[in-house]
Amino acid sequence: MNFDWNNPYPTPRLPVFGRNAVSTSHPLGSQAGLRMLLAGGNAVDAAIAAAAVMTVVEPVSNGLGSDAFCILWDGQALHGLNGSGCAPAAWTPDYFHRKYGAGAMTPPERGWDTVTVPGAVGTWMALSKRFGKLPFGDLMAPAIEIAERGYAVPTVVQQKWVAAAAVRDLVSQPGFAQAFLPHGRAPAIGERFAFADAAHSLRLIAATHGEAFYHGEIADAIVRHARDTGGAISAADLAGWRPQWVTPLAQNYRGHTLHEIPPNGQGIAAQIALGILANFDVAALPVDGIASQHLQIEAMKLAFADAYRYISEPASMTVTPAQMLDPDYLTQRAKLIDPRRAQDFEAGNPVKGGTIYLSAADENGMMVSFIQSNYMGFGSGVVVPGYGVSLQNRGNGFSLAADSPNVVAPGKRPFHTIIPAFLTQHGQPVMSFGVMGANMQPQGHMQTLVRMLDYHQQPQAACDAPRWRFNSGLEINVEAQMNPDTVAGLRALGHRIEVIDDSYQDFGAGQFIMRLGEPKVDGYVIASDPRRDGLAAAF
């Protein structure tokens, strides 16, 4: 990459360089990854150790009951792993309509009836078994130590913890207050928080290579807690779940290829948006100007119109990803963009006729793009007593409408927002990256890639730049640091804009590791988003 290494945006961060790299949204997570690399492990070992630590130090975003996805370059080829959980066998539309009324359109946002089978631990297990070098138990050691001894709660995590403590539907869930409101409140900045229950589970996970979570003591505790407090998840649901190895989808853009996990995730939305933008000379427009931002917003809106209409578990989709990414179809969609006004787009017809993201890379060329999430901050709010397993609420991504491709069904995976990403060129690895934050994720993928590939901004600058976020219709949010003239110009085009000063959830947070050449010789450049407490670390 022929980058401009200047950074025009206010930021506390500088790009980091090294031959072995880890970038996460918490320094202790990054340091855990480096410990594995220094111990002779590879990037997969580093990613798993960092992910385990993140369940402890950023519980506002993920936990042992999270789901996860991964794209990795093993030195020779690209691999994808879908670690999203399936619906319990008891879940049908009738199940929800009996409990929540005939007019309910989706499962609830909190509680047991949002909990699908947690996939994060199983994802760690699968990655370690296939690609890891170090003993699985060693990878849990940093997380166990931190959970037992405690850590000082950092600034951004604490802010979200306080906000969560004010959400009645969340804090009233079984086990939540016991686990996450010590002394009856959220911890203060710099206050020590220990999580002995999670340490107990992590020790069991370490001793059994994760099997205790799906077949042993932890599984029994999850099922018992569900039975006692109104959940439907069963021992058979846990024992029968497996992560899925998948082939990442590919979309070319400016001589590079963006890879995303195929549906049930929303990564294809970023690929659709870039496929639309490929029809325009984006680089000819000022990088932070009205025209460039408007074009990107409209492309993203078109992408989401199709994503929300068609994405579900592959067996339930009425169109294929290949049809959604067809270049001729995307060219026709691009023609709908009017440079003079904002529009509210509908889905086309492509048929012819609170998440954490981390990245790790080692000097042997292995690169890992990994993401795990509880969704909506603390997720369902349900925490298993004695085990510290805070459970995600991904079931809220299902529909209860019979004609929806995403209608709930036993054993089905819901529409998922978390998406790792990977960039290649001519079949060779370039960058492992991701931007966390619900539907901001594909928007963040697109915005940062446009900055790097069209405008040659270096990764940390692309990470630091002000972002916008499309919500629905003509409504978008923009960060407070966006140029006021650009905001005014977008308003004049018809965009309904709310300027927001809280970047944690609204505008995502990314981690980027990009090859500078041969890893053993040239190494990587690493970036970490200033919107969280993170750290880009290397040696």
Side-chain angles (χ1 to χ4, degrees):
M1 292 279 183
N2 183 24
F3 284 134
D4 176 359
W5 288 101
N6 293 313
N7 190 337
Y9 310 109
T11 176
R13 304 283 170 85
L14 293 171
V16 174
F17 301 89
R19 295 186 180 92
N20 297 273
V22 184
S23 187
T24 79
S25 54
H26 194 290
L28 295 180
S30 300
Q31 292 162 14
L34 287 188
R35 282 175 59 179
M36 298 305 110
L37 292 169
L38 285 164
N42 61 21
V44 163
D45 297 318
I48 295 169
V53 167
M54 295 304 297
T55 67
V56 178
V57 299
E58 199 172 316
V60 298
S61 303
N62 72 136
L64 290 172
S66 285
D67 281 353
F69 293 83
C70 182
I71 302 176
L72 71 94
W73 177 266
D74 67 0
Q76 302 294 326
L78 206 60
H79 307 268
L81 186 58
N82 181 333
S84 61
C86 300
W91 281 13
T92 64
D94 285 344
Y95 170 89
F96 289 98
H97 286 144
R98 286 196 304 270
K99 294 186 73 170
Y100 301 102
M105 298 304 295
T106 65
E109 288 189 356
R110 308 289 185 181
W112 272 113
D113 286 334
T114 70
V115 180
T116 56
V117 176
V121 174
T123 304
W124 304 347
M125 294 162 62
L127 287 169
S128 176
K129 182 177 181 180
R130 184 169 178 181
F131 294 107
K133 289 177 64 180
L134 297 177
F136 186 78
D138 292 358
L139 309 182
M140 300 296 107
I144 293 168
E145 179 185 9
I146 292 167
E148 288 180 338
R149 296 184 63 184
Y151 61 92
V153 175
T155 304
V156 179
V157 166
Q158 193 270 347
Q159 292 169 353
K160 295 305 149 184
W161 212 319
V162 170
V167 180
R168 182 174 299 178
D169 289 345
L170 177 62
V171 300
S172 64
Q173 298 305 324
F176 183 89
Q178 174 186 336
F180 295 122
L181 299 180
H183 316 298
R185 56 169 174 79
I189 294 173
E191 185 175 5
R192 175 178 169 270
F193 175 77
F195 203 178
D197 287 355
H200 175 56
S201 286
L202 285 161
R203 286 194 178 278
L204 292 170
I205 290 166
T208 64
H209 201 286
E211 292 296 329
F213 196 94
Y214 296 97
H215 304 279
E217 183 178 333
I218 301 172
D220 292 343
I222 293 171
V223 172
R224 184 169 58 250
H225 192 42
R227 183 179 61 244
D228 293 345
T229 55
I233 199 165
S234 70
D237 293 326
L238 290 166
W241 179 86
R242 298 290 185 278
Q244 296 179 335
W245 291 102
V246 297
T247 300
L249 299 177
Q251 172 65 40
N252 294 328
Y253 185 74
R254 310 301 191 217
H256 293 73
T257 304
L258 171 64
H259 302 269
E260 301 273 1
I261 297 289
N264 55 313
Q266 64 173 341
I268 194 173
Q271 295 173 310
I272 292 170
L274 288 173
I276 290 170
L277 287 178
N279 292 275
F280 300 89
D281 186 3
V282 178
L285 306 171
V287 58
D288 293 305
I290 300 164
S292 177
Q293 300 306 308
H294 172 71
L295 193 59
Q296 293 175 60
I297 293 167
E298 297 299 281
M300 198 72 243
K301 287 157 68 172
L302 283 163
F304 272 132
D306 281 358
Y308 292 148
R309 169 63 180 84
Y310 295 116
I311 290 176
S312 68
E313 193 174 61
S316 300
M317 289 180 64
T318 57
V319 300
T320 66
Q323 289 171 319
M324 296 175 75
L325 293 174
D326 180 78
D328 291 339
Y329 172 66
L330 296 183
T331 297
Q332 292 304 310
R333 296 289 277 170
K335 293 178 180 178
L336 298 176
I337 294 177
D338 187 337
R340 298 163 298 181
R341 66 186 180 98
Q343 298 181 75
D344 182 2
F345 298 108
E346 296 182 353
N349 181 9
V351 180
K352 290 189 176 181
T355 301
I356 68 95
Y357 171 82
L358 62 90
S359 184
D362 62 43
E363 64 180 25
N364 293 315
M366 180 176 279
M367 302 175 70
V368 180
S369 180
F370 185 92
I371 196 164
Q372 67 186 20
S373 171
N374 265 6
Y375 196 38
M376 296 186 188
F378 279 99
S380 66
V382 178
V383 185
V384 181
Y387 293 85
V389 177
S390 62
L391 294 156
Q392 39 82 344
N393 59 336
R394 287 294 169 181
N396 179 254
F398 280 120
S399 172
L400 301 181
D403 60 349
S404 170
N406 198 41
V407 63
V408 68
K412 185 175 181 178
R413 285 176 160 87
F415 175 91
H416 231 284
T417 61
I418 62 173
I419 51 172
F422 205 97
L423 192 70
T424 63
Q425 186 177 38
H426 308 311
Q428 295 301 305
V430 173
M431 181 171 65
S432 56
F433 74 103
V435 179
M436 52 199 125
N439 77 335
M440 183 63 211
Q441 294 181 56
Q443 304 187 56
H445 290 192
M446 184 201 72
Q447 291 179 58
T448 53
L449 280 182
V450 166
R451 289 181 175 279
M452 284 184 258
L453 300 183
D454 284 295
Y455 295 108
H456 304 288
Q457 291 187 338
Q458 49 101 343
Q460 189 63 57
C463 195
D464 296 335
R467 296 179 187 146
W468 49 264
R469 170 175 170 156
F470 165 68
N471 294 316
S472 63
L474 301 177
E475 296 180 2
I476 64 171
N477 303 136
V478 301
E479 288 190 288
Q481 63 266 38
M482 183 172 283
N483 186 310
D485 292 339
T486 300
V487 175
L490 292 172
R491 282 198 172 109
L493 293 176
H495 296 281
R496 298 173 186 166
I497 296 176
E498 180 183 4
V499 178
I500 293 182
D501 203 16
D502 177 4
S503 295
Y504 180 90
Q505 288 282 25
D506 295 287
F507 302 102
Q511 318 294 330
F512 302 80
I513 298 181
M514 176 175 280
R515 281 178 59 150
L516 293 173
E518 177 59 38
K520 279 185 180 294
V521 179
D522 304 296
Y524 305 90
V525 56
I526 311 102
S528 183
D529 204 301
R531 295 167 181 83
R532 295 209 182 172
D533 300 298
L535 175 69
F539 69 90

